[in-house]
Amino acid sequence: SDRKTCAYEALLRSMDATFPNPGALLQAAERLERLPDLGRLVRAQVADTIATADVGDVFINVHPHDLLDEELYDPDAKLSRVAPRVVLEVT
């Protein structure tokens, strides 16, 4: 009712024309068997942004394969340090 922003959503985008949308980037990562690397990179960048900017809570889309990545649950991972401010959305 007060039009206050309650959260943000981290969006996957690339400046490379080869990847005009997130789906193209995810498909390439999947073909190259690099989904875990992409997921880790995205989560680390989001965690860095949350830690250094006053952005409040953040929603992050994760690929179902990310749920199998042990780093997602590692208490020392960058995202774990800001976990109370993160909502994971499984795509």
Side-chain angles (χ1 to χ4, degrees), residues 22-88:
L25 185 55
L26 288 167
Q27 288 174 353
E30 193 164 16
R31 270 194 320 274
L32 297 169
E33 298 181 1
R34 301 292 303 267
L35 275 174
D37 297 324
L38 180 60
R40 288 176 180 173
L41 175 66
V42 168
R43 294 191 309 267
Q45 287 185 346
V46 171
D48 287 343
T49 300
I50 293 171
T52 60
D54 184 21
V55 295
D57 293 344
V58 176
F59 287 70
I60 304 172
N61 290 308
V62 294
H63 190 281
H65 290 172
D66 288 330
L67 300 176
L68 302 174
D69 185 357
E70 291 184 15
E71 184 182 281
L72 181 64
Y73 309 100
D74 183 349
D76 295 323
K78 287 184 174 186
L79 194 63
S80 295
R81 296 179 200 149
V82 293
R85 297 170 49 199
V86 173
V87 175
L88 299 178

